[in-house]
Amino acid sequence: MSVIIAPSLLSANFADLRGDIEMLNDSEADWLHVDVMDGVFVPNISFGFPIMETLKKISYKPLDVHLMIVDPDRYISRFKEAGANILNVHYEACTHLHRTVQQIKKEGMKAAVTLNPHTPISLLEDIIGDVDMVLLMSVNPGFAAQKYIENTYNKVSQLKELILRKNAACLIEVDGGVNLQNGKKLKELGADALVAGNSIFATDDPKDTIAQFKAL
Ligand code: DX5
Ligand code: ZN
């Protein structure tokens, strides 16, 4: 089966967002990855609800929303209203993660938990059965076009093992510095979905690059 591919909007051309969204609509991309940063959880600020609501009007692709914000519980219903289909919250930002996950599902969205590069897979033991997806960060979150952290391969293998052992119905997504080379290996190790920003939008023919990801 081909890998789910989620181009990251952060690397799109904001001066011509419609052009890039139309290109993605017309591509083999499965989801649109939307990075929301608050300048507190991560050292950068991206965009919020007005942009998301605009996207929702013009994108045919489901929105895979990655919240890099503190206290995401405060905004779960707002992100549902803004059009999120999948809501990723960081393990490191949620004190009552079980409650947060239930709340996201109650709102009718897929619930995903994101791990920073330093956060071990073993911490997911008691939540893995409740989540629809785990998003493994392969860079420290905050910026596009960073270098892929090699240890992510080990984390994908460990997560795959945990999912099989617990018989969980949970997808594995990887985000940060993903390209066609490491993407192939990540898929072989068990990744179901890949986020890619720079390695798609910095190419001459992003639509063709997406097709190459789909053919991995
Ligand atoms: C990083 C973001 C990523 C990033 C991916 O904080 O969560 O989604 O935009 O971009 P690339 O693929 O360029 O690393
Ligand atoms: Zn992301």
Side-chain angles (χ1 to χ4, degrees):
M1 232 178 51
S2 66
V3 74
I4 293 168
I5 181 81
S8 167
L9 186 78
L10 205 56
S11 295
N13 176 7
F14 284 84
D16 181 21
L17 212 44
R18 182 183 285 276
D20 274 352
I21 298 295
E22 283 171 357
M23 177 277 290
L24 292 174
N25 281 342
D26 201 35
S27 79
E28 293 176 51
D30 298 278
W31 301 338
L32 180 56
H33 186 79
V34 180
D35 289 303
V36 178
M37 306 178 185
D38 67 354
V40 179
F41 183 71
V42 287
N44 199 4
I45 298 176
S46 56
F47 46 76
F49 299 116
I51 296 280
M52 266 194 66
E53 282 155 2
T54 307
L55 282 179
K56 196 65 191 175
K57 286 185 196 141
I58 55 177
S59 174
Y60 301 157
K61 309 284 178 175
L63 301 186
D64 173 37
V65 179
H66 176 192
L67 298 185
M68 285 160 273
I69 65 174
V70 295
D71 203 3
D73 300 46
R74 293 171 61 193
Y75 298 104
I76 292 171
S77 55
R78 281 290 280 120
F79 279 103
K80 170 66 183 176
E81 282 165 29
N85 299 89
I86 303 164
L87 201 61
N88 297 269
V89 292
H90 267 261
Y91 181 92
E92 303 82 8
C94 297
T95 309
H96 303 286
L97 182 61
H98 184 271
R99 181 190 291 149
T100 307
V101 164
Q102 304 309 326
Q103 199 61 38
I104 294 170
K105 294 205 278 196
K106 208 168 130 202
E107 289 282 351
M109 295 176 285
K110 298 281 185 200
V113 172
T114 308
L115 298 191
N116 271 336
H118 72 277
T119 304
I121 299 295
S122 55
L123 291 171
L124 297 172
E125 281 269 342
D126 294 315
I127 194 76
I128 197 78
D130 293 286
V131 298
D132 296 298
M133 186 166 78
V134 172
L135 172 58
L136 295 178
M137 290 311 299
S138 39
V139 297
N140 286 293
F143 304 92
Q146 299 183 84
K147 191 175 175 298
Y148 172 83
I149 296 172
E150 297 282 322
N151 186 49
T152 314
Y153 294 131
N154 298 326
K155 293 181 81 172
V156 172
S157 301
Q158 288 171 35
L159 178 55
K160 188 74 191 171
E161 191 272 327
L162 176 65
I163 290 169
L164 292 173
R165 178 159 56 80
K166 296 274 191 176
N167 203 13
C170 170
L171 297 178
I172 301 174
E173 185 174 38
V174 181
D175 182 11
V178 173
N179 55 39
L180 287 164
Q181 288 71 44
N182 56 28
K184 187 171 176 56
K185 189 164 170 192
L186 288 165
K187 187 191 172 213
E188 283 164 6
L189 292 171
D192 303 287
L194 299 175
V195 176
N198 190 57
S199 68
I200 288 177
F201 287 97
T203 58
D204 291 338
D205 188 347
K207 215 197 296 185
D208 181 64
T209 308
I210 292 167
Q212 290 182 51
F213 268 106
K214 292 299 290 180
L216 283 179

